[in-house]
Structures are given as C-alpha cells and as structure tokens.
Amino acid sequence: MKRGNPALAAYVTLVYFFLLGPLFIVAAAAFSGSNFLEFPPSSLSLKWFANILAVSAFLETFIVSLQIAVLGTFLSLVIGVPAAYALSRSAVPGRGVLQAIFVSPVIVPGVVLGFSLLRFYNVQGGVPVFQTLLIGHTLIVLPYSIRVISSSLANFEPAIEEAAISLGCPRWRTFFVVVLPNIRAGVMAAFILAFITSMNNVPVSVFLTGPGVSTLPIQMLSYVENFFDPTIASLSVVLIATTAGFMFLIERTLGLSYFAR
Amino acid sequence: MPTLELRKICASYGDNRILTDLDLEVADGDFVSLLGESGCGKTTTLRVVAGFLRADSGGVLLDGEDYTRRPPNRRGFGYVFQSYALFPHLNVFDNVAFGLRQRKVAREEVRRRVDEMLEVVGLAALRDRLSKSLSGGQKQRVALARALVIKPDLLLFDEPLSNLDAKLRVKMRVEIRRLQQEFKITTLYVTHDQEECFSISDKVTVMNDGVIEQFDRPEHIFSQPASPFVARFVGFENFFQLRHQGMSDGRHQLVAADGTKFEAPDRQTIPGGRLLGAVRPEAIALGPAARTGQAGEIAGSIAFRTYLGRGYQYIVQTALGDLTVNGEDQQPFATGDTVTLRVPPDRMVLLGDA
C-alpha cells in the first residue's frame, strides 16, 4: 500500500482478520495433539492427518464427490452452453420465462429441491442413489454454468459469427470454430464455479445420499456428529491446500487474469 | 461478374414491416450505395441480400439464379461490417485465410493468396499480429482483405467507415473504391454519409421508410432530386407551392400562391398533381431591395443571420414564408434589412408533391 489512509488500513486489516481468523484457528487446531478440537493447541502432532486415511469413508466419499462434481459439472456445461447460446442469440419466445426457469434452482431452497428429487426420482421413480445425486448436482450447478456463459456470450458480437457464415462456414460449425474458442474463458470459469459449488453442496446432498453412497461434506457432517477430535480440521486443511494448489496451477498455466477478462 | 436483382422484397423484424415491395438492380461491376437515415431499411436490404434475414416475400437473384432461399454460407458474398467483426482469437493471416480454409483450398495456395491480398491492402508487415492489437483502420483493411480473398461474386458493405475518424474515413473510401475497381466486383454499400456515398458510388439509392425514393447517378441525385424527400436530403432547403401556367421563351412559367412568378428550364418534365419548386440556399441571389419585375424576384427582410465560415447564412422573411439563403462574406446584411431575392430559372427544380 502506498502512503494510505490509516483508517482505511485499519479497516482492511479488520476485514482480513475476520476472513482469515477462523481459517487460522482451524489450521492451528489441525496440528493439535489432543483428542478434541482446541485452540490454541496444547501440543503438536500430525496424527489427525493420518487419521483421515484411517477413516476409509473419507476417501470413499471423496471419490464419490469427485465423480459427482466432474460428471455434474460436465453435464451442466453440455446442457448449459447450448441453452445460454440459444437464450442470447435467438428470439426464443418467452425468453424471460426460460431465463427465470434456468435460475430457479438457485431461488428454490436446496432443502426443497433435495427433498423433491428424493421423493420423485429415488423413492417413486426407483432411480438409484448415485444417479439421483448426479441429477441433483447437475441441477444445482446448471444455473451457474448458464449465467457465466451467458455473460461471456453477451460480450461476443453476433456480427463475428455472421462474418464466419458469410465466408462459407455453416452455422453449426461456426459455433465450434468461432464462438467456442472465444468463450472458452467463460467455459473454464463456469467449470470451476460449478465444480466448487458441487463439491461443497450440503442441502441437496443431505437428502440424496443413501446407503453406501455419500459425498464428502455429508460424511464430514456425520463425522462431527459422532466424534469431536480434530480430524475434520485436518481434513479442512487438506481441502484448502488442494484448492489453493489447484488455483496456483491454473494461475501458472492460464493466468487468473484470464478469467477476469 | 454478375448482376444482382431484388424483386418486390418485403421484409420485417417481428411485426415491424421494414421493406415494402423493394425493387433494385445492381449491374455487373457497379458500385451501388444505399443511402438513408437510420431506420430507412438500408441495412435490412443488405441483410436480405446476404441471406442473414429471410424476406417475407420477393426474390433475390444473381445473374438470373434464384438466391432467395440459399443459406448465407453458400452465397459466396463478401460482407464487411461496421464493427469489423474480426475473429478475436486469430491473427491477421488466419483471419484472412478463414474463407479459403472453409473452401478447402490447398495449404500452399492459401498461403500464396492470403499473402498476396495482405500485400494489396498494405498489411503484409502485420500478418502475425493478433487482430485485437490493430488500430481501427488496420482492422477494416483486414476485414476488407478477408472479404476480397474469397473472390466474392458480390461485395457487401455495412457502414464500414463509421467507426473511423474523419481523416481516415476519406483515405479508406478511396482505398475501397480502388480495390473494387481493381477486382471489378459488383458492390452494394450501405451508408448514411452523403459525401462518402456520392464520392465512391456509380449509382446511389436514396431510401426512405423502406422504399426507394430515387436510384440514379450521384450527380443526378444532387442536381435533379426526384422527390421532396430526396431534395431535402441533398440540401435543398427552400420549397414553394406552385401552379404551372404554360411555356414561354422555352421556359416553364410558374406562379406561387401570392402571385410571385417563377421560371424553370423546359428540360424538366412537369409532374402531375401538386407542384413544388425547390431551390438550394446557395442558388438564390441576395441583393439590396430593388424590384425589376422579372420572374423569380421575392421581396423580404433579414430575420436571422449565422456565420458559416465561408459566408453568411440568412433566414429571410418573405410572403412565401421564411427562406434560407447563403450570402457573400463582404458587406453582410444586418437583421431587419430589406432585401430582394432572385431565384435563377436554371436553379429551380420542379417536384411532384405527394
């Protein structure tokens, strides 16, 4: 900071304190040697990190979470990119209504969505737990995909597509060779946003997880209901570190400014 | 090179009818402009020709072949956009090569033809630059090269110079005209800029409210407008309601409502219905009050004066209404001066008043 306003500096420090303070407490507790969550830790140990692997459900649910997040995000893009394109380019009748429907999973509380999906897909429809979970996650991340890609398309001039068409490129191919390469930043951003949303989701998952199929956040939730040791803190540190490493990798390969365009 | 023909085109956006029974013929190798204010339907016409907009009815023909339902990617027309519409993710070379690659032209030939074209538009040095990093003028040259390199049957321009500054506009329009003549491409050019349009076109189409008011050589449009709309558009500011009173001395004899007599050259045909005489501000001679009784004399007084830089413009109050007259720099008249206006017979254009 250049010769700043001291009041502003204090204010910013306070914001950082509130943002990062809890993270610091979690991180510190993760390295505690005691058998329950404590801060400051009275002794240091890595045993709770080892315990993550000892509880096999963590790894199992992590893999389910990963599968659901990757598949759900992919599906949301497969549905969301054409939907966003259609909404932005053609005068679809009732465009406003369609737009409202596409964001509705954000408006409808996750609890309601999760419950209705459980009731109608799983219980009545007989759809297996994993597939129902996948449908649920696709639905919750779809609005994010559509929103991010729509804003990306809004900045992309229709005349550029017409230029390609006038040069002999058919409409469908224009989408792949001209539109897609120019909105790939939006697609990447949508992917990351949808992926993280899916990985973190609790309200929908809590209804849709069943015997043998659970996601990591749900597993973490049920773990803290039964155990009070710092394993969850250690796991949180691992998750935060993984995410940070992921962002670092993206920054190195694509540059974060790439998403800020 | 082919002839473009539009037959009874009707087109609309939603419920909004834009074009009504529009007929137009662009002859082989001609440069034809569509001129008009925004909303007159000139861009709509261009989009119908390009195939981006499906006409409600009517036909688009190229050399007699029906193009009305042909998809835009199979028309082979070059289109140059106001916003340049370059492909942001490609460099200059790949932008220009795009059309050839769609046509599956062999790699070597693509290279040769694109480089040749970049040479023609003077961009050879920028061939590897990303299109984003170019200036407006350079972008429009790339767009031009991109449209020309496919050897289009027809070249379409949609206000291509509107985003450039005034000096560059003049330079680019000369460039466009040069290339069009060099490649002898039939061209349809949309603009709202009169000077630009008159300077580069073989023929000009003045459009108003979805119909063509006049289709003629620029000189004729300027000197012999066909309707009051075109007359106003090209700078006629004074209009008189007239009655025709026959011929004498080889001139039409005309009289205004208050009895003022006018003459007009006999080469003009008298339109049916109500008659309107139109005169440019610079065509009227302005002098101190002095009546000689000749035709074309109007008495008036100066109501308002503005300075134009190379002379003055006056609003003169007369029995025929307020007239706009341009005067010399020397000895300007002052507000309230009584004056006599003279309308020379050969400067009066006769129009039918719709």
Side-chain angles (χ1 to χ4, degrees), chain A residues 157 159-160 162-170 173 177-178 181-182 261, chain B residues 47 52 72-73 77 81 83 85-89 98-99 102-103 132 146:
Chain A
E157 222 192 315
I160 298 173
E162 289 178 345
I165 292 168
S166 77
L167 290 167
C169 192
R173 204 198 297 157
V177 302
V178 174
N182 284 296
R261 267 204 311 181
Chain B
R47 293 180 67 80
F52 294 141
N73 56 305
F77 298 166
F81 296 83
S83 58
L86 299 183
F87 306 123
H89 63 302
F98 190 90
Q102 295 306 317
R103 285 163 177 71
K132 277 182 280 202
R146 183 175 69 174

Side-chain angles (χ1 to χ4, degrees), chain A residues 48-60:
Chain A
W48 300 115
F49 284 92
N51 195 47
I52 298 170
L53 292 176
V55 183
S56 64
F58 282 138
L59 189 62
E60 286 161 20

